Amino acid sequence: MFGPAPTAPTPPPGQVGAKHSRRGKITGRLRRRLLAYRAIDFLSIHIPDHSGPGEECLLLVHVRQVVGQVHYQTCSDCAQGVITALVIDERFHSTGLANRALSHLRFRHPGLAWCSTLNMRTTPDLLRRMSIPTVPADTRCPHASPAAA
């Protein structure tokens, strides 16, 4: 009644709408990382006579949908495992899911020395972090059948 009319507080610059309605890059990345660590199941399947004995595939499954695959070969005689392919769905890049998948392989097959034949642009850093050496693609286990070449 006397003096200036009270004004409603103005939101800080850059904040529009509800306080928690904005989701930035950091929040989205954090949500995907939590999703990659909580809601992903690992299923291991054997690929019969596909490219040799010991050919396996680790499927990364989220709500009945395959979001990644790791193809690998194991040889108990050589005590060696070779990662031959790694595919992760685009939305799960930079979430740590590839690290988790390779760590799962090491846990699932203890005592194996792991190496990789991957030469994709995104994998050298991952393999270096996981201490997995890269070998030429034509390097094969001597116990693999010659018909599998």
Side-chain angles (χ1 to χ4, degrees):
M1 189 161 166
F2 301 106
T7 59
T10 59
Q15 182 176 355
V16 179
K19 182 177 181 180
H20 297 286
S21 65
R22 285 186 12 174
R23 287 218 169 111
K25 285 185 175 183
I26 295 173
T27 308
R29 190 178 324 157
L30 181 62
R31 288 184 68 235
R32 284 190 307 273
R33 184 173 288 265
L34 286 172
L35 183 68
Y37 276 82
R38 295 182 68 196
I40 301 293
D41 293 321
F42 295 108
L43 301 174
S44 184
I45 60 171
H46 176 71
I47 303 173
D49 298 329
H50 183 260
S51 62
E55 179 73 19
E56 306 268 340
C57 181
L58 181 69
L59 297 177
L60 292 75
V61 180
H62 173 255
V63 189
R64 297 186 298 169
Q65 179 182 11
V66 176
V67 296
Q69 297 179 13
V70 181
H71 290 265
Y72 62 98
Q73 296 176 346
T74 59
C75 179
S76 57
D77 295 333
C78 295
Q80 185 175 11
V82 179
I83 299 166
T84 57
L86 174 66
V87 179
I88 303 287
D89 195 14
E90 181 84 23
R91 64 186 165 145
F92 287 102
H93 286 191
S94 301
T95 61
L97 187 57
N99 285 350
R100 186 171 175 226
L102 296 181
S103 296
H104 182 80
L105 281 180
R106 284 185 167 165
F107 174 78
R108 189 176 188 94
H109 302 283
L112 293 184
W114 288 94
C115 61
S116 172
T117 61
L118 300 175
N119 58 3
M120 299 183 316
R121 182 177 57 88
T122 57
T123 55
D125 291 335
L126 169 68
L127 297 174
R128 187 175 59 247
R129 282 193 311 266
M130 298 294 293
S131 300
I132 298 175
T134 304
V135 296
D138 58 353
T139 303
R140 296 180 10 138
C141 171
H143 302 103
S145 63

